[in-house]
């Protein structure tokens, strides 16, 4: 793969794709030869299906939307992460509804054989990449507003790898805030058993910044999500609501945002009955909206449609 800043180019894609009856292509304008692929393929021999966020990171800018519409017109079908992203894309580009399909974006999560006792789920958890846009510094500052007693009963786990300088800065911030006795930093992991262990102890998954597939993973483990309601999230945020999550308002003033987040953390620990309701709702959301069968059926429907006629 060659790349220049955000622009990427992967050689050899066309020679692979043309061998097949149907190919599913990541719909991202930054990947130049993937974006051009629907124009290069012989539609009678190889059917092109686009899969992605829809409008994506260009946020509906008119030039990018025009290009997306042209690419979509060359594809036999399109698959979107959510119903909302499909409708937004259609409203911006005018693409026909009958060629648009939804495969609710998800990940396959192994369920715990034996769920932990409710009283053991007492930690606040962040599990994901350490990036500035995740605003972990805001989480640390909000957590520091909790009383010593509450923090001792509800430790904070920050599990993730990423920018070394950022990681060191977050650990230094924890020292400055005098909360190191109840905050644990650990490297990121893809080990399913270890991930399950972390979630088995979590009362809530907390991400002050943009959320994505972490929502799905949390809900699979019956863990409610704590995040801002009014920032730019990944499509998976559409699974969050006031029944399965703790949503607060992000303010222009960081101090006000930190206070709002701290209040949400207190809601988690101070109202156990409400927490149990949201924990159950989180699991139901995963079972009903984020299950793998539903995602697969969306792909199958798009492939079937593209192959007809």
């Amino acid at each position: 793969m060659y790349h220049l800043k955000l622009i990427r180019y992967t050689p050899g894609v066309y020679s692979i794709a043309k061998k097949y009856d149907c190919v599913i292509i990541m719909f991202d304008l930054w990947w130049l030869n993937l974006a051009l692929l629907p124009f290069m393929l012989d539609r009678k021999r190889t059917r092109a299906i686009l899969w992605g966020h829809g409008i994506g990171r260009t946020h509906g800018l008119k030039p990018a939307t025009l290009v997306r519409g042209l690419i979509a017109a060359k594809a036999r079908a399109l698959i979107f992460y959510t119903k909302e992203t499909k409708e937004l894309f259609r409203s911006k580009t005018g693409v026909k509804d009958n060629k648009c399909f939804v495969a609710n974006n998800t990940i396959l999560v192994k369920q715990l054989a034996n769920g932990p006792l409710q009283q053991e789920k007492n930690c606040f958890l962040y599990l994901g990449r350490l990036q500035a846009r995740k605003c972990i510094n805001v989480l640390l500052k909000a957590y520091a507003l909790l009383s010593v007693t509450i923090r001792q009963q509800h430790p904070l786990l920050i599990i993730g790898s990423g920018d070394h300088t950022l990681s060191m800065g977050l650990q230094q911030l924890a020292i400055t805030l005098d909360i190191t006795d109840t905050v644990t930093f650990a490297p990121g992991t893809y080990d399913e058993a270890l991930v399950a262990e972390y979630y088995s102890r979590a009362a809530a998954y907390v991400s002050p910044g943009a959320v994505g597939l972490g929502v799905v993973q949390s809900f699979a483990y019956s863990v409610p999500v704590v995040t801002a309601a009014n920032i730019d999230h990944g499509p998976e945020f559409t699974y969050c609501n006031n029944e399965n999550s703790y949503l607060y308002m992000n303010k222009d003033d960081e101090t006000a945002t930190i206070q709002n987040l701290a209040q949400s953390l207190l809601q988690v620990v101070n109202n156990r009955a409400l927490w149990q309701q949201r924990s159950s709702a989180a699991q139901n959301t995963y079972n009903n909206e984020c299950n793998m069968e539903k995602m697969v059926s969306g792909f199958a429907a798009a492939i079937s449609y593209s192959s007809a006629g």
Side-chain angles (χ1 to χ4, degrees):
M1 181 185 72
Y2 302 101
H3 60 88
L4 176 63
K5 294 185 178 180
L6 293 176
I7 300 173
R8 288 166 168 74
Y9 181 89
T10 306
V13 170
Y14 171 73
S15 62
I16 297 172
K18 68 179 183 179
K19 299 176 183 178
Y20 293 89
D21 299 318
C22 178
V23 292
I24 296 172
I25 305 165
M26 183 176 68
F27 196 7
D28 189 329
L29 299 185
W30 297 109
W31 292 73
L32 291 183
N33 54 334
L34 294 184
L36 293 172
L37 199 52
F39 295 94
M40 300 168 64
L41 295 170
D42 183 339
R43 297 183 70 185
K44 294 182 179 179
R45 288 191 309 167
T46 304
R47 301 163 184 87
I49 298 176
L50 299 171
W51 171 48
H53 290 200
I55 294 300
R57 287 175 287 179
T58 53
H59 301 293
L61 294 174
K62 287 186 177 181
T65 299
L66 176 62
V67 173
R68 287 180 182 277
L70 293 173
I71 298 172
K74 296 295 293 184
R76 290 292 290 269
L78 296 92
I79 304 173
F80 298 90
Y81 280 24
T82 64
K83 178 181 177 182
E84 290 77 8
T85 53
K86 183 190 87 166
E87 294 304 325
L88 176 61
F89 188 87
R90 289 191 62 241
S91 70
K92 295 284 187 179
T93 64
V95 66
K96 294 180 180 178
D97 182 65
N98 64 333
K99 65 186 290 183
C100 297
F101 299 85
V102 174
N104 284 11
N105 202 40
T106 192
I107 52 177
L108 183 63
V109 176
K110 289 185 178 180
Q111 301 299 299
L112 296 174
N114 296 298
L117 297 175
Q118 296 293 329
Q119 61 266 28
E120 293 177 358
K121 296 177 72 69
N122 63 346
C123 298
F124 294 114
L125 172 68
Y126 172 81
L127 191 153
R129 289 174 293 177
L130 294 185
Q131 299 173 317
R133 68 189 185 97
K134 296 295 185 178
C135 301
I136 307 304
N137 60 320
V138 173
L139 170 55
L140 291 172
K141 291 175 183 178
Y143 183 70
L145 294 180
L146 306 183
S147 69
V148 173
T149 300
I150 289 178
R151 287 194 289 104
Q152 288 174 342
Q153 295 172 345
H154 302 278
L156 172 60
L157 307 180
I158 298 177
I159 314 299
S161 302
D163 184 282
H164 178 73
T165 301
L166 176 63
S167 177
M168 293 298 98
L170 292 173
Q171 293 183 45
Q172 181 58 52
L173 178 60
I175 294 172
T176 302
L177 295 170
D178 195 23
I179 55 175
T180 54
D181 57 329
T182 56
V183 176
T184 299
F185 290 88
T189 180
Y190 293 101
D191 184 306
E192 291 185 2
L194 191 53
V195 169
E197 166 63 21
Y198 288 134
Y199 274 105
S200 73
R201 299 163 56 192
Y205 167 81
V206 189
S207 179
V211 296
L213 280 171
V215 168
V216 176
Q217 190 173 54
S218 300
F219 286 175
Y221 288 106
S222 303
V223 176
V225 170
V226 179
T227 192
N230 59 330
I231 62 174
D232 188 17
H233 289 290
E236 295 81 6
F237 176 71
T238 59
Y239 301 137
C240 296
N241 55 53
N242 289 322
E243 278 69 54
N244 57 28
S245 304
Y246 296 84
L247 305 177
Y248 63 91
M249 298 303 293
N250 194 75
K251 301 291 186 179
D252 292 334
D253 176 53
E254 184 182 271
T255 300
T257 297
I258 291 168
Q259 291 174 341
N260 285 351
L261 174 53
Q263 287 301 314
S264 291
L265 299 180
L266 287 174
Q267 267 194 297
V268 173
V269 302
N270 287 339
N271 191 333
R272 202 64 176 178
L274 179 63
W275 174 84
Q276 289 177 331
Q277 291 174 9
R278 295 189 180 182
S279 176
S280 177
Q283 180 69 71
N284 289 337
T285 300
Y286 180 80
N287 292 340
N288 298 326
E289 298 183 39
C290 312
N291 63 75
M292 186 57 68
E293 291 77 11
K294 195 167 185 176
M295 185 175 185
V296 170
S297 69
F299 277 87
I303 293 169
S304 178
Y305 171 83
S306 70
S307 301

